[in-house]
Amino acid sequence: MVGKVFSNVASNYDIMNDLMSAGLHRLWKDRLVSKLSPFPGMKHLDVAGGTGDVAFRILESISSIRRRALQDPLNDGLQEETQIYVCDINPNMLNVGKKRAVERGLGEDKSLTWVQGDAEVLSFGDNSMDGYTIAFGIRNVTHIEKVLDEANRVLKRGGRFLCLELSHVEVPVFKELYDFYSFSVIPQLGELVAGDRESYQYLVESIRRFPPQEKFASMIAEAGFQKVEYENLVGGVVAIHSGLKI
């Protein structure tokens, strides 16, 4: 069912994200990447990242570091050493990302690898990644615990786990407004813009089923991560959870 939802929304994914969040999703992803602190030569896995939004930001962050150190010609090798893997279970979402990569001049970039795969059963080796991000994806998996276990498995010691996800608003008046917007406005937007009310109704309902911030933080800790914390953005509309593999 989730596969069908994302196949349906893939072609309108960017415009609907802008409309639903009033463009704020761009700032939220910027914040996610700033907390990751990317570095040249890193091996990074972005899961459920088919459209490339997070991966492009990571590459841009690393490129800006390289530009500042460009006086040293030996730094030319840093970009090739860097490897960003974009993993998504849905081929339609990956196709959107690949197309956007070409439009950005990154179509032949060896630092960027697109992989169709399942977050619950990753094809990457143990202790192989410096970083792991998942943005607006973990609430759509079948078994959150398996995804967290896999994230811990593929990360090296000292590797960072970061998750950006729509979460739970607790401020009473804001919560009522947010619920009205979520259940009344978003499905209608989906119908008007994408001709698909059902998929966006599912997306809203999936947010409410996702564990609250504290519960999700405890699940991350149970998967073996240390220094688990979270940051609420826009009063808890979204939260960024992080953990460290030690």
Side-chain angles (χ1 to χ4, degrees):
M1 186 195 74
V2 173
K4 184 183 174 198
V5 165
F6 281 92
S7 293
N8 290 345
V9 304
S11 60
N12 294 294
Y13 194 74
D14 288 334
I15 189 168
M16 281 300 296
N17 275 348
D18 279 331
L19 286 170
M20 289 188 297
S21 72
L24 287 173
H25 75 99
R26 299 171 185 271
L27 299 177
W28 299 334
K29 289 167 185 167
D30 287 344
R31 179 64 180 154
L32 177 75
V33 172
S34 74
K35 287 173 81 76
L36 175 67
S37 300
F39 57 89
M42 81 181 299
K43 303 288 184 286
H44 184 81
L45 176 60
D46 182 43
V47 174
T51 61
D53 256 7
V54 172
F56 298 148
R57 282 169 168 79
I58 294 170
L59 279 178
E60 177 53 37
S61 176
I62 291 171
S63 294
S64 69
I65 294 169
R66 290 185 67 249
R67 283 195 295 270
R68 290 196 295 270
L70 209 57
Q71 290 86 352
D72 183 358
L74 293 176
N75 283 332
D76 285 347
L78 289 177
Q79 188 72 14
E80 289 211 9
E81 291 172 16
T82 300
Q83 196 66 58
I84 312 297
Y85 297 92
V86 182
C87 178
D88 201 297
I89 200 168
N90 192 294
N92 294 312
M93 297 292 278
L94 286 168
N95 287 337
V96 169
K98 289 175 187 176
K99 184 180 174 187
R100 291 179 65 198
V102 170
E103 290 167 356
R104 288 166 172 255
L106 297 170
E108 301 299 318
D109 196 319
K110 293 177 182 175
S111 303
L112 204 52
T113 303
W114 305 87
V115 180
Q116 185 177 352
D118 185 344
E120 295 185 17
V121 194
L122 293 171
S123 60
F124 303 94
D126 296 0
N127 309 304
S128 58
M129 299 291 167
D130 298 296
Y132 176 113
T133 48
I134 181 165
F136 305 122
I138 202 163
R139 76 180 188 282
N140 296 306
V141 304
T142 309
H143 305 101
I144 294 172
E145 295 88 350
K146 287 184 180 179
V147 174
L148 295 173
D149 286 343
E150 279 291 88
N152 188 274
R153 179 183 68 78
V154 301
L155 279 169
K156 301 174 184 176
R157 291 192 174 208
R160 303 276 317 282
F161 167 85
L162 285 151
C163 174
L164 170 64
E165 191 52 87
L166 292 155
S167 202
H168 295 266
V169 175
E170 297 303 334
V171 182
V173 176
F174 187 30
K175 185 179 187 302
E176 288 167 21
L177 287 170
Y178 180 51
D179 283 345
F180 172 77
Y181 176 73
S182 298
F183 287 100
S184 300
V185 178
I186 287 177
Q188 215 163 11
L189 271 176
E191 190 166 18
L192 287 169
V193 177
D196 184 1
R197 183 186 187 92
E198 206 174 292
S199 291
Y200 288 93
Q201 184 73 36
Y202 159 76
L203 292 176
V204 169
E205 290 169 359
S206 70
I207 300 165
R208 297 303 181 273
R209 288 195 299 269
F210 190 68
Q213 288 90 319
E214 285 290 343
K215 170 63 177 169
F216 184 48
S218 71
M219 292 171 75
I220 296 169
E222 284 164 14
F225 288 100
Q226 305 290 318
K227 298 185 179 178
V228 177
E229 57 186 23
Y230 65 88
E231 177 186 14
N232 281 331
L233 303 176
V234 198
V237 170
V238 298
I240 298 176
H241 282 74
S242 60
L244 187 69
K245 180 174 177 179
I246 294 178

